[in-house]
Amino acid sequence: MNKFIYTLPALLLLTGCWDQTNLNETKLITAGGIDYTKKGKVTSTVSVPQAVAAEAGKGNIVNQVFAATGNTARQSRLRLDLKVAERLDASKNQVLVFGEETAKTDIYNLLDIFYRDPKSSLNAKLAVAKGKASDVISTTFEEPKKSTGVGEYLRDSIKSAEEGATVPAENIQTICPLMFDPGQDFALPYLESTGKAVKVIGVALFQEHQMVGSIKEPLSVIYTMLTGEPHTISMSTTKKISNNQKENLLNYVTIKVEKNKRKFDVYVSSRDKISAKIKLNVKIIITEYPPDNLSTPSEIKKIEKKISKKLTEDAQKVIDKLQKMNSDPFGVGRQLMAYHYPTWEKLNWKEEYPKIDFKASVDVEVIGHGIIE
Amino acid sequence: MTFFKKPKKLIQEQESPKQKVTSQENSSPEKSPKEQNLSLDELLIKVKEPFSSTEDLMTHSIELPNDHNKIVLLYIDSIIDKQIVQSMILNPLFETANEINFESFRKMASIDLKKQTDFNQVKELLLQSNTLIFTEDTTSFFSMVTPVNTKRDITEPDNEAIIRGAHDGFIENLSINLALIRKRLKTPKLTIKYFRVGKETHTNIAIAYVDNIADPEHVKEVEKRIKSIEADAIHAPGNIEESIEDKPFSFFPQILSTERPDRVAANLMEGRIALVYDTSPTAHLMPVNFFSFYQSVDDYNKRWQIGSFFRFIRLFSFFIAIGLPAVYIAIVSFHFEVIPFGLILLIKSSLEDIPYPPLFEALLMELTIELIREASIRLPTRIGSTIAIVGGLVIGDAVVKAGLVSNLMIIVVAITAIAAYIVPSNEMSAAVRILRFPFMIAAATLGFFGIVFGFMILLFHLCRLYTFGSPYFAPLAPLNLADLKDAFIRAPFWKQNTRPKEVHAQKMDTTNHTRKWDNS
């Protein structure tokens, strides 16, 4: 027994450091892009920041982009590793981008490696690139001179789009249950590389594992509001509320949503006719309205009415689009499943969804108009 | 576990056949001089025999003018104060008595003068700074304590300095040390018991406890352990501590050392037992728990919220001092995914060109800090600043510039070093500093798992540790919520109305009802 106790520390020391994965012997992937080649192979493009030795804190970071092709996502990663000096590690990956063509196929087949590896970064943002993902990853930016490269840049631009409610906040982890939920779909940010920068142009809508369409930028704010997001840091949008002003600029109002309350109901009539209704109760602050006159309550009422009407129109437009592409990100199916299960059981939701009666209405209340009178 | 049992057996074997030779029971088989009817000169030869070769044993013969009797003063020159002998023995002898004979000693009014009949005590008395007076009557002699005054001033202990509160500390003198305690506990229940340990050194120690509070079982246990000490020499309090502590192989100090009389007094009133030493300014307190080492007298002189805050800081420092280098190693060599993204590239760039594995890097720097610490203790203060320059500038800055160690490692080592010295007790601080090395190795081999493993073993050990029959990790294990009031936090004085449970005090209630005027 004694001898056994004495050998324990020896065993601890004898193991050595073989299983260490030292930080200074790894290359960190900060952004990854996945495309299918024409032959159906998988090309992974990754951005690897490389610290150039300098005074600490002023680290000069050079961004390197590598790409490799394999039969599967993992194989392409393994081949990438052969191209890079040290071991590649994706545990700090910030963004994963799919090419549009790739997104239109089954994306779970490519995401599988992320859910399987305990070290993978499940909070990485997901996005769909218009065109190829490799274009987005290998963009050489004008903007970030001192930043840490593509990964951080893309993550931050998606984040700011989330804060502006242009895109819903999703990451690898959050879409996982949605992918396998027959009653709900999801949407991801939709990016476009303009050569010297990457722009968020809206949201890409998914049906189960496949991208089925997109909603472009100003309208995507309404989309985010319809998802029931109560508020983000600056959920703002500009709307045209009249046509009769001489200067075009004066026709517009910019609002910031302070509080967004969603009432979402799914009804089933006696003849199994399904209808859904989203009612938004929105409290807004007017952040831009050159014609002014906002100090009079009657004027406020008038504007409230106009904005409500405009937003309701837009909301309906979004819903019509969604029904047309057969994507159900608001979870009408889930509601149906939860409250009207016998009906749900009977029907084929994929066929039924585009046909249901889905209405939206937005009720706006102005609670502030800035500090000028 | 035969290795641990052996010493116990040895003690038992020694105890049974032999009679214990302590100061209390001195029964040597020699015949006393009284029975042999010796003359004074013969007696003197006899009593001087054990001191055969020392030259500072002095005899001073005086022939009395009246009866021509001889009086002999016997003393050890180096440890008596001749002024006292002159003023307290010789002057009264020649001034007051008209008829000077040895009977006049009885009339002399001095509390230190004692008549002795036990000649076996001679050796002992001489060594305890007594001057012995032999007369023609060889059946008895007189003794007087005439110690030479070698006391230093009462100063604040350097290693336990506080901001507010009493600034006196123990010195290398037992009676002064006891006086400092008695000054604070003016109760007849404060009991002092003297012991003498070390067959040759005869070190004086005293046990102090409050009779109606301290657990008699504990007192008995402490007495038993001290009596069982058999050694030629007991030099430092550390010798006693190692002789009587429960688990000599533990890293943790199980007896609280302090140089502060106020701390001793407060602990005595909680039912603990103190050991006070001659020749050493350290007092020992027992039984103590882990959290006693994290208490400082300062806590009680601050507002209680602030005192509690510092308690938290100190307990927090325990984890930093033990775990921070280990966590650093585990993170950069196993789990770097836990580093926030904003930081990871900075850390990576500072680590990029370090040639050594993190464990080696950490060991190098931790050992360097220990080197600096050890050197700065030895160095005289006049060249102490050299160490600051060498340690701070050369090692801190140049090591990074040379690319041996990363910037981050320097930060980790510095925080760890500071955290280790936050502990008010030097012994606990040393224990914590040693413990970080096994943790670092565990982290380098198994990562976070190794650290968790290490803390588990540490917790097992702390929970199993008992000192003098009291659980060491109380009030956490066994959990006693009420006692947390003086462990994790420092509750206000008027809330501290029970004594810690693990001390087994006879009176649990401290009767701290100090805010009776406050009716709200």
Side-chain angles (χ1 to χ4, degrees):
Chain A
M1 185 62 195
N2 246 345
K3 275 179 194 162
F4 178 67
I5 287 172
Y6 292 142
T7 43
L8 271 182
L11 284 175
L12 201 66
L13 288 171
L14 283 171
T15 54
C17 311
W18 61 271
D19 60 342
Q20 285 187 357
T21 51
N22 281 327
L23 178 59
N24 54 356
E25 286 160 13
T26 43
K27 286 241 157 55
L28 297 169
I29 295 174
T30 59
I34 301 181
D35 292 304
Y36 277 121
T37 61
K38 275 172 191 156
K39 287 175 189 166
K41 293 195 171 187
V42 181
T43 303
S44 288
T45 314
V46 295
S47 154
V48 178
Q50 183 69 36
V52 175
E55 283 275 307
K58 302 170 200 160
N60 227 344
I61 283 146
V62 177
N63 220 45
Q64 286 177 301
V65 175
F66 298 98
T69 306
N71 288 314
T72 64
R74 180 57 84 190
Q75 195 181 31
S76 68
R77 262 285 300 285
L78 294 174
R79 285 192 176 154
L80 264 178
D81 222 341
L82 301 176
K83 285 191 175 178
V84 177
E86 288 163 339
R87 207 173 38 79
L88 270 181
D89 188 286
S91 63
K92 295 312 282 184
N93 188 19
Q94 297 297 297
V95 184
L96 181 65
V97 185
F98 293 107
E100 193 170 349
E101 290 309 311
T102 313
K104 281 178 177 163
T105 65
D106 192 335
I107 60 163
Y108 177 77
N109 297 343
L110 304 169
L111 283 171
D112 182 71
I113 57 169
F114 294 91
Y115 296 124
R116 227 169 263 286
D117 180 7
K119 274 188 107 175
S120 77
S121 66
L122 290 176
N123 61 352
K125 302 278 177 211
L126 276 168
V128 176
K130 195 174 182 182
K132 285 190 137 195
S134 57
D135 294 340
V136 169
I137 300 299
S138 45
T139 312
T140 44
F141 307 98
E142 286 177 329
E143 195 186 321
K145 275 279 182 308
K146 270 187 76 180
S147 107
T148 45
V150 189
E152 204 181 10
Y153 172 77
L154 287 180
R155 183 203 61 191
D156 288 348
S157 41
I158 292 172
K159 222 177 194 170
S160 82
E162 281 170 7
E163 281 165 5
T166 310
V167 297
E170 301 282 9
N171 58 36
I172 297 183
Q173 175 72 64
T174 58
I175 66 153
C176 182
L178 299 179
M179 265 197 298
F180 295 99
D181 188 343
Q184 193 168 3
D185 297 317
F186 59 93
L188 295 177
Y190 196 31
L191 308 178
E192 186 184 18
S193 171
T194 58
K196 294 254 170 188
V198 172
K199 204 167 74 178
V200 179
I201 54 171
V203 290
L205 276 307
F206 279 73
Q207 186 210 40
E208 289 186 344
H209 300 175
Q210 293 167 3
M211 179 180 165
V212 285
S214 65
I215 293 175
K216 291 287 160 53
E217 170 250 313
L219 214 52
S220 65
V221 178
I222 308 292
Y223 166 81
T224 311
M225 283 164 69
L226 285 169
T227 59
E229 179 69 55
H231 59 84
T232 60
I233 289 171
S234 66
M235 193 187 263
S236 294
T237 185
T238 305
K239 290 291 166 206
K240 193 176 189 182
I241 52 168
S242 58
N243 291 315
N244 44 15
Q245 298 283 352
K246 256 187 278 160
E247 284 183 64
N248 181 37
L249 182 79
L250 297 177
N251 290 322
Y252 289 86
V253 63
T254 306
I255 58 167
K256 179 167 175 261
V257 177
E258 280 298 294
K259 205 171 174 192
N260 176 30
K261 210 170 151 194
R262 181 175 78 156
K263 201 163 171 281
F264 181 24
D265 290 305
V266 177
Y267 308 99
V268 177
S269 72
S270 49
R271 273 180 294 158
D272 276 352
K273 187 104 177 75
I274 299 155
S275 60
K277 189 159 175 55
I278 292 182
K279 199 166 180 298
L280 292 182
N281 240 317
V282 188
K283 288 183 173 149
I284 60 162
I285 289 173
I286 293 173
T287 51
E288 184 188 38
Y289 187 55
D292 203 18
N293 279 333
L294 288 174
S295 52
T296 49
S298 58
E299 182 70 20
I300 295 268
K301 280 270 173 297
K302 248 165 67 192
I303 288 186
E304 269 179 7
K305 237 182 191 167
K306 280 181 184 167
I307 298 173
S308 296
K309 192 172 161 243
K310 178 72 186 157
L311 286 179
T312 306
E313 276 170 23
D314 285 352
Q316 196 57 50
K317 219 188 280 174
V318 168
I319 284 171
D320 291 346
K321 275 189 170 201
L322 289 174
Q323 275 186 296
K324 217 165 157 191
M325 35 176 129
N326 201 357
S327 172
D328 180 15
F330 305 138
V332 184
R334 177 124 293 279
Q335 295 263 340
L336 200 63
M337 223 189 286
Y339 299 114
H340 309 282
Y341 190 69
T343 318
W344 166 264
E345 242 186 339
K346 267 186 270 173
L347 47 86
N348 183 346
W349 182 240
K350 260 191 185 175
E351 286 171 12
E352 199 64 27
Y353 175 67
K355 290 186 265 174
I356 66 165
D357 178 30
F358 197 171
K359 287 278 172 289
S361 73
V362 183
D363 201 11
V364 168
E365 185 191 338
V366 176
I367 58 167
H369 46 78
I371 52 170
I372 52 165
E373 280 296 324
Chain B
M1 303 289 260
T2 47
F3 184 62
F4 297 97
K5 273 179 192 160
K6 258 181 214 156
K8 265 187 201 163
K9 227 185 247 172
L10 265 175
I11 289 173
Q12 283 167 356
E13 279 165 15
Q14 282 173 358
E15 265 176 27
S16 45
K18 235 169 111 187
Q19 270 199 321
K20 269 190 280 175
V21 191
T22 57
S23 57
Q24 272 74 27
E25 28 189 324
N26 226 343
S27 51
S28 74
E30 290 175 54
K31 273 186 185 171
S32 82
K34 195 161 77 178
E35 290 160 45
Q36 293 166 356
N37 237 336
L38 299 169
S39 73
L40 180 58
D41 288 335
E42 282 169 328
L43 176 70
L44 283 174
I45 291 166
K46 184 96 185 159
V47 298
K48 280 161 81 175
E49 208 179 73
F51 298 93
S52 52
S53 58
T54 183
E55 284 181 9
D56 59 352
L57 182 70
M58 297 290 183
T59 42
H60 185 72
S61 309
I62 305 158
E63 200 169 308
L64 295 177
N66 289 16
D67 52 8
H68 297 283
N69 274 342
K70 224 164 76 176
I71 288 181
V72 180
L73 301 186
L74 189 65
Y75 53 84
I76 296 174
D77 187 39
S78 50
I79 55 170
I80 65 128
D81 189 344
K82 283 182 192 147
Q83 291 234 311
I84 300 180
V85 175
Q86 185 67 42
S87 65
M88 300 299 287
I89 299 175
L90 295 178
N91 288 355
L93 197 63
F94 285 94
E95 278 169 18
T96 58
N98 292 325
E99 199 178 277
I100 301 174
N101 53 41
F102 55 79
E103 279 300 310
S104 34
F105 283 110
R106 287 176 188 281
K107 293 166 195 157
M108 265 168 55
S110 169
I111 52 164
D112 283 334
L113 189 69
K114 285 180 194 130
K115 190 177 178 182
Q116 307 273 2
T117 51
D118 185 2
F119 282 85
N120 291 319
Q121 291 275 9
V122 167
K123 189 175 74 180
E124 190 75 32
L125 287 168
L126 281 172
L127 290 169
Q128 300 292 336
S129 307
N130 280 275
T131 300
L132 305 184
I133 303 141
F134 292 93
T135 60
E136 297 284 357
D137 176 11
T138 55
T139 59
S140 65
F141 62 97
F142 297 88
S143 72
M144 188 180 211
V145 194
T146 51
V148 69
N149 191 355
T150 51
K151 291 171 220 141
R152 74 176 160 100
D153 288 340
I154 294 174
T155 52
E156 175 157 40
D158 284 337
N159 49 0
E160 276 179 276
I162 58 164
I163 298 166
R164 274 177 61 195
H167 290 294
D168 52 353
F170 289 133
I171 59 165
E172 290 82 354
N173 182 299
L174 183 59
S175 57
I176 299 285
N177 290 353
L178 290 174
L180 289 173
I181 298 173
R182 268 225 189 265
K183 228 165 70 179
R184 289 175 165 80
L185 300 178
K186 292 194 184 89
T187 161
K189 296 294 182 189
L190 175 61
T191 313
I192 312 277
K193 285 187 180 168
Y194 293 104
F195 291 87
R196 207 160 283 162
V197 292
K199 268 183 257 168
E200 303 298 338
T201 54
H202 292 292
T203 313
N204 286 323
I205 58 179
I207 295 184
Y209 59 92
V210 181
D211 198 30
N212 59 343
I213 297 175
D215 179 15
E217 289 296 314
H218 280 152
V219 176
K220 230 190 268 170
E221 183 66 28
V222 173
E223 282 178 18
K224 190 184 104 192
R225 289 188 192 182
I226 287 176
K227 277 181 190 163
S228 78
I229 296 174
E230 276 191 46
D232 282 349
I234 295 289
H235 298 292
N239 296 152
I240 301 274
E241 185 181 345
E242 285 184 8
S243 308
I244 65 172
E245 70 188 355
D246 286 66
K247 289 267 161 57
F249 287 93
S250 173
F251 280 122
F252 289 98
Q254 295 146 56
I255 292 173
L256 177 63
S257 315
T258 180
E259 292 188 25
R260 303 197 61 86
D262 46 358
R263 199 169 187 191
V264 171
N267 276 292
L268 288 180
M269 281 312 288
E270 286 198 335
R272 297 198 169 89
I273 301 159
L275 284 183
V276 190
Y277 300 90
D278 206 15
T279 69
S280 168
T282 303
H284 281 148
L285 285 163
M286 67 217 70
V288 287
N289 59 38
F290 178 80
F291 299 97
S292 307
F293 294 88
Y294 283 86
Q295 293 169 342
S296 160
V297 179
D298 248 352
D299 300 345
Y300 301 94
N301 290 322
K302 290 191 182 98
R303 296 197 60 74
W304 69 268
Q305 301 92 332
I306 296 154
S308 299
F309 172 67
F310 286 115
R311 280 278 164 83
F312 262 119
I313 296 264
R314 279 186 219 134
L315 286 169
F316 183 55
S317 83
F318 175 78
F319 291 101
I320 293 184
I322 283 188
L324 189 65
V327 168
Y328 171 78
I329 291 171
I331 287 181
V332 298
S333 53
F334 285 99
H335 316 283
F336 50 79
E337 62 270 17
V338 304
I339 308 173
F341 183 76
L343 204 57
I344 193 162
L345 289 170
L346 284 179
I347 292 176
K348 192 166 154 52
S349 69
S350 94
L351 278 177
E352 208 58 75
D353 297 320
I354 307 300
Y356 301 117
L359 173 67
F360 188 81
E361 194 191 353
L363 281 177
L364 185 78
M365 281 321 286
E366 291 293 350
L367 290 175
T368 312
I369 287 272
E370 291 298 308
L371 281 178
I372 295 173
R373 187 196 69 89
E374 197 62 22
S376 58
I377 292 176
R378 310 276 168 264
L379 275 180
T381 40
R382 263 164 280 124
I383 48 172
S385 54
T386 323
I387 281 294
I389 294 164
V390 173
L393 289 180
V394 177
I395 294 172
D397 196 41
V399 148
V400 173
K401 283 210 171 127
L404 289 174
V405 172
S406 69
N407 264 324
L408 210 70
M409 191 68 235
I410 297 281
I411 297 171
V412 167
V413 167
I415 293 175
T416 314
I418 291 167
Y421 292 106
I422 284 175
V423 192
S425 154
N426 197 28
E427 288 81 27
M428 186 56 92
S429 157
V432 161
R433 288 201 311 270
I434 283 291
L435 273 173
R436 77 169 66 122
F437 291 103
F439 272 87
M440 276 153 62
I441 292 167
T445 35
L446 298 170
F448 279 160
F449 178 68
I451 297 175
V452 171
F453 205 55
F455 272 113
M456 264 166 63
I457 292 173
L458 189 69
L459 198 65
F460 290 163
H461 175 68
L462 283 172
C463 289
R464 282 195 47 187
L465 206 55
Y466 275 78
T467 64
F468 296 91
S470 293
Y472 187 65
F473 211 41
L476 269 193
L479 183 68
N480 183 1
L481 288 177
D483 282 351
L484 295 178
K485 69 185 179 311
D486 205 18
F488 278 100
I489 57 165
R490 202 281 283 176
F493 180 64
W494 39 272
K495 276 282 177 197
Q496 307 245 12
N497 38 29
T498 54
R499 302 202 156 85
K501 198 176 162 215
E502 87 276 358
V503 178
H504 305 307
Q506 292 176 45
K507 261 170 48 184
M508 282 300 286
D509 191 4
T510 56
T511 59
N512 278 355
H513 308 299
T514 55
R515 290 184 67 85
K516 277 191 172 164
W517 57 269
D518 191 0
N519 298 319
S520 59

